[in-house]
Amino acid sequence: MKIESLEELYIEELRDVYDAEQQLVKALPKMAKAATSDSLRAALEEHLDVTESQVQRLEEIFAELGTKAKGGKCEAMKGLLEEAKELIEDDIDPEVMDVALIMAAQKVEHYEIASYGCLRTFAELLEHEEQAETLQEILDEEKDADENLTEIAETSINLDAVDEEEDDDEVVSKKPSGGDGSE
Ligand SMILES: [Fe+2]
């Protein structure tokens, strides 16, 4: 497709992020199901609600622009979610699984933050003021989700326990296997 103006790029990128959000709506329940900590599961479920409402607000923007929402295929989100899916399918210890899920979710959030930051600026440049406000609102929601994930990683997930377990394993593996006749 030939893109000749900022308006066309804006619409193309809106379609891209619209597709990305729809992919995320499908993936988030699976990620939430794989989470072992209650706070992480709750955060992912809450972000599903937020994401569904973002899809609706994007549809309103397309209606205002008088153009169709469909047509984008976000390969970046597809790749990020494929990685998340691989992690879920891997044989990972429950504590480490949550850390892996947080990492996967934060990669998604950072991608979205970059997209919405640019889209908000494009909307401002194109003097679509209300759309710029909506996109700023969505951007803030993505930033909140990202910060919330950091907080969960710092407060709810016992990373020391993960490490200690590994240390224990090492100790166990170094123990002599018995047979010294002392038992
Ligand atoms: Fe989003």
Side-chain angles (χ1 to χ4, degrees):
M1 182 192 165
K2 200 174 174 197
I3 294 173
E4 291 176 317
S5 65
L6 183 60
E7 179 92 19
E8 283 176 15
L9 179 66
Y10 175 59
I11 290 171
E12 207 46 39
E13 291 297 320
L14 278 172
R15 285 184 185 140
D16 183 275
V17 85
Y18 178 71
D19 178 70
E21 296 292 13
Q22 284 181 316
Q23 290 186 46
L24 197 53
V25 165
K26 284 190 204 138
L28 276 170
K30 292 172 205 158
M31 291 170 78
K33 206 176 148 206
T36 57
S37 109
D38 290 341
S39 55
L40 177 58
R41 194 178 320 109
L44 293 170
E45 283 168 354
E46 191 197 313
H47 198 60
L48 174 62
D49 291 341
V50 173
T51 303
E52 283 170 341
S53 117
Q54 291 172 345
V55 168
Q56 281 175 9
R57 277 173 281 163
L58 288 173
E59 283 168 356
E60 284 163 23
I61 290 180
F62 288 111
E64 266 176 52
L65 289 165
T67 187
K68 61 182 171 62
K70 300 235 186 278
K73 183 74 209 161
C74 184
E75 295 295 340
M77 184 62 84
K78 195 173 155 216
L80 289 170
L81 294 177
E82 256 165 34
E83 284 189 2
K85 188 169 165 260
E86 277 168 26
L87 284 172
I88 291 169
E89 287 166 359
D90 277 347
D91 182 21
I92 304 185
D93 265 16
E95 289 275 3
V96 188
M97 174 59 93
D98 282 354
V99 180
L101 285 169
I102 288 175
M103 187 176 184
Q106 285 194 305
K107 285 183 185 180
V108 165
E109 290 314 317
H110 283 235
Y111 174 75
E112 291 189 311
I113 288 167
S115 298
Y116 285 113
C118 291
L119 286 168
R120 185 263 341 264
T121 303
F122 293 174
E124 281 170 356
L125 290 168
L126 294 162
E127 295 178 359
H128 296 311
E129 269 126 42
E130 263 184 52
Q131 294 171 23
E133 272 172 37
T134 303
L135 293 165
Q136 179 66 54
E137 195 180 273
I138 297 179
L139 175 62
D140 291 340
E141 290 167 2
E142 308 297 13
K143 285 184 182 168
D144 285 350
D146 180 49
E147 277 166 27
N148 193 18
L149 287 166
T150 299
E151 210 179 298
I152 291 169
E154 285 170 358
T155 58
S156 316
I157 294 173
N158 190 350
L159 292 173
D160 289 342
V162 177
D163 276 351
E164 273 163 27
E165 240 170 66
E166 274 174 15
D167 292 348
D168 287 351
D169 284 349
E170 273 166 34
V171 173
V172 170
S173 66
K174 277 175 202 155
K175 267 186 194 167
S177 53
D180 61 357
S182 64
E183 280 167 46

